[in-house]
Amino acid sequence: MGLHRWVLAIGFAAVALAGYASWQRWGPLPDNVAASVDGSVIPVATLNVFVAAAQRSEPQVSREAVLKGLVENRLLAALAHEYDDVAAHGHADTSPVGYDAQTRHEQQRFKLIRTAFADDLRVAVEESGTTDSLDYLTEPLLLSEDALAPLLSLDQALYATMTEAQQQAASQLVIARYRFAEDQPEQTLTLWDLYRRQNIQLKVQMHNLNTGFIREAIKQQLTMEYVFYWFDQHSGLSARAIAAVDDCIDDAMSRDELLHDLGLMHDIHDDNPQLRALAAEVSQDQIAAYYQQHQDEFTRVERVHAYHLRVNSQAEADRIYAELLDIQKAQKAQKAESRDPASAFADAVARYSVADDREQGGALGWIDRDSREDHWTQALAFVQPVQRVSPPFRSPATDSAPYWELLWVDQKEMGYQRVDSESVRYRAAQAIAREQMQQRFQTLLADATEAAALRVNHEVL
């Protein structure tokens, strides 16, 4: 998901917030405030940052859509805090890839600023004459193995990360000192500062004392810190507007936690207890109704009519395939001199095939769902696209000499899975459960919107 779509979740919730006219029934807003949500304001300058980031990748995105996204996130963040408890949000402190919440916030903040102020940052870097963030170091990096080993070495039998004692020591070990301007106090980066920002895989590199990786990680961290320094000191935003930017990023993160808890933000491969529980409650009557309304989702191949061409070497198979593929491409490009690919395949069978059915054009005949199990060529033919030569397939390893097959399917008949099949039940129940979860979420958001004191400054849109 693109950065602005992650922050704003534009289009995720189908619920439209109240019209702008109704938002104003609580009174006007100051010129520098874009919106107020239960007394919490979103300054115009903050809105401008998110608009700039959004429009950089999608110029057609409107200020109205961006503001709606920020307001929606503020409402969802409030709901997330109501749902908040340690048991429900065990995922909140550390993401599936191992980044803690503070690091995830920093990563999104960095992407947002770098996108919204790309041109200004480019000019700032050019004017500074410094393109390598390590040039801002005030002292050489502390990367000696003697200093790092005691804090990064693990007892693999007992620990997969730093012990508490190592963490305490790492928080005292300064590995980088830097400043971005002469009038800026010297800044420090400790080993713990760097370590906690890495995911699980990258921490392994540090435990292996990969000093090249550690040096590069420091460089990346200083690049991020420079962007933050520039944003705080030279973007022109007030401290209040900058704080509001961070609040909006936190809102988006809280929104994700809420959606995860509601079962709406699980990876397709993750176990989704909420979805699984709802799907188990779906009745056969609901499945039958869904099946009737979405029958095209449950199509299947019933039978195919196919031909094959057999040769005894990979080289010959590749040559014939390339020849037939060129003919196929020429026809697709509608070249005047192009041949019919079907007749070209038939000619190739007559010229090159070593199979006994060569005289019959290499016809495999009709292959249905039962007969496809009779031979590996029939199983492959059953899943080939129509009117397209297949790449060569080598015969399975046996005691006999290997051979290669090219396949051509000229007809395919489709049908529908049975409504009482396990596949239909699983897919329909999952789809129905997802719809129910979305409806519950939309109702939740609509109720929150109705209950909130929302105001918008339409003059800034």
Side-chain angles (χ1 to χ4, degrees):
M1 183 185 292
L3 170 69
H4 83 272
R5 289 196 174 276
W6 173 82
V7 174
L8 305 178
I10 295 172
F12 182 88
V15 177
L17 296 177
Y20 287 134
S22 66
W23 285 20
Q24 296 179 73
R25 62 178 177 265
W26 288 282
L29 290 171
D31 292 342
N32 63 348
V33 174
S36 173
V37 184
D38 289 330
S40 175
V41 302
I42 299 174
V44 172
T46 298
L47 171 63
N48 291 342
V49 173
F50 287 93
V51 170
Q55 292 182 344
R56 194 161 191 91
S57 59
E58 294 188 30
Q60 74 278 9
V61 174
S62 67
R63 293 176 65 84
E64 176 181 339
V66 174
L67 183 57
K68 278 191 174 183
L70 295 177
V71 169
E72 214 169 71
N73 285 351
R74 185 64 49 89
L75 291 169
L76 293 174
L79 289 174
H81 296 152
E82 292 178 13
Y83 277 73
D84 190 20
D85 64 77
V86 174
H89 284 185
H91 61 278
D93 290 336
T94 303
S95 71
V97 292
Y99 292 112
D100 62 31
Q102 182 179 344
T103 299
R104 297 199 307 276
H105 178 104
E106 290 175 349
Q107 289 170 344
Q108 296 302 333
R109 190 178 199 257
F110 175 67
K111 292 176 185 176
L112 175 70
I113 298 168
R114 190 179 57 180
T115 304
F117 296 95
D119 296 334
D120 295 322
L121 283 166
R122 189 179 302 111
V123 170
V125 170
E126 290 174 355
E127 290 179 349
S128 73
T130 302
T131 57
D132 186 336
S133 60
L134 292 180
D135 290 342
Y136 289 110
L137 292 171
T138 57
E139 293 182 11
L141 297 174
L142 177 59
L143 295 180
S144 70
E145 290 193 10
D146 289 343
L148 299 178
L151 306 183
L152 292 173
S153 298
L154 299 179
D155 183 339
Q156 297 293 345
L158 298 176
Y159 304 106
T161 188
M162 281 185 178
T163 65
E164 188 172 335
Q166 286 176 316
Q167 292 178 23
Q168 290 292 329
S171 66
Q172 302 299 316
L173 181 64
V174 175
I175 56 175
R177 298 178 183 275
Y178 61 95
R179 63 164 56 93
F180 300 119
E182 290 298 326
D183 59 350
Q184 182 191 28
E186 185 179 66
Q187 307 296 303
T188 60
L189 180 73
T190 69
L191 182 61
W192 176 247
D193 292 333
L194 188 68
Y195 181 86
R196 72 162 182 80
R197 288 180 168 95
Q198 311 306 309
N199 65 19
I200 295 171
Q201 291 80 8
L202 299 182
K203 285 176 180 175
V204 170
Q205 296 295 323
M206 296 186 70
H207 289 305
N208 290 337
L209 298 179
N210 183 340
T211 54
F213 165 79
I214 296 174
R215 179 183 178 86
E216 184 62 27
I218 293 172
K219 179 178 177 179
Q220 292 178 7
Q221 185 60 37
L222 294 192
T223 299
M224 181 181 289
E225 296 294 347
Y226 173 81
V227 169
F228 292 165
Y229 164 79
W230 180 91
F231 182 57
D232 292 341
Q233 301 297 321
H234 301 290
S235 66
L237 269 71
S238 66
R240 182 191 187 198
I242 289 173
V245 167
D246 288 314
D247 289 342
C248 289
I249 294 172
D250 285 337
D251 289 342
M253 293 176 64
S254 295
R255 175 207 67 212
D256 283 359
E257 292 173 7
L258 174 65
L259 296 179
H260 189 282
D261 288 344
L262 295 175
L264 292 169
M265 272 200 70
H266 284 71
D267 185 91
I268 190 172
H269 300 296
D270 289 346
D271 179 43
N272 189 333
Q274 298 90 341
L275 180 64
R276 182 160 32 85
L278 276 177
E281 297 174 2
V282 174
S283 69
Q284 189 60 43
D285 287 344
Q286 289 175 295
I287 290 171
Y290 184 90
Y291 179 85
Q292 290 300 321
Q293 296 170 9
H294 305 85
Q295 202 167 7
D296 288 346
E297 296 179 11
F298 303 101
T299 58
R300 70 177 188 178
V301 177
E302 295 295 344
R303 64 176 190 160
V304 302
H305 192 267
Y307 299 83
H308 76 122
L309 186 162
R310 180 181 300 174
V311 293
N312 290 325
S313 75
Q314 176 80 61
E316 187 175 15
D318 289 343
R319 180 183 61 79
I320 296 170
Y321 175 65
E323 176 185 319
L324 293 173
L325 197 60
D326 286 343
I327 293 171
Q328 189 171 288
K329 290 177 179 177
Q331 190 212 39
K332 188 175 181 180
Q334 297 182 329
K335 294 183 178 179
E337 70 280 7
S338 64
R339 296 174 58 195
D340 173 44
S343 62
F345 189 87
D347 290 344
V349 170
R351 293 164 59 195
Y352 305 121
S353 182
V354 298
D356 294 339
D357 57 9
R358 170 179 174 175
E359 297 301 324
Q360 289 76 46
L364 295 174
W366 283 102
I367 305 166
D368 61 23
R369 302 187 69 81
D370 293 326
S371 61
R372 65 177 172 166
E373 306 296 336
D374 293 345
H375 194 268
W376 66 271
T377 53
Q378 292 172 260
L380 284 171
F382 199 79
V383 297
Q384 294 305 307
V386 178
Q387 303 291 329
R388 191 181 305 171
V389 63
S390 78
F393 296 103
R394 186 185 188 280
S395 62
T398 62
D399 294 337
S400 58
Y403 57 90
W404 284 258
E405 296 273 12
L406 285 82
L407 301 169
W408 179 268
V409 173
D410 64 341
Q411 297 180 66
K412 180 178 291 189
E413 293 184 358
M414 303 297 293
Y416 297 98
Q417 299 176 52
R418 290 168 43 192
V419 67
D420 59 351
S421 69
E422 186 57 37
S423 175
V424 168
R425 170 163 183 80
Y426 175 80
R427 291 167 56 195
Q430 293 273 309
I432 293 168
R434 286 193 184 93
E435 288 180 359
Q436 291 174 343
M437 292 166 67
Q438 283 283 0
Q439 290 168 1
R440 291 180 184 180
F441 168 72
Q442 291 170 11
T443 299
L444 189 69
L445 180 56
D447 290 346
T449 303
E450 183 65 26
L454 301 178
R455 287 185 288 164
V456 66
N457 185 350
H458 67 89
E459 296 296 332
V460 306
L461 300 178

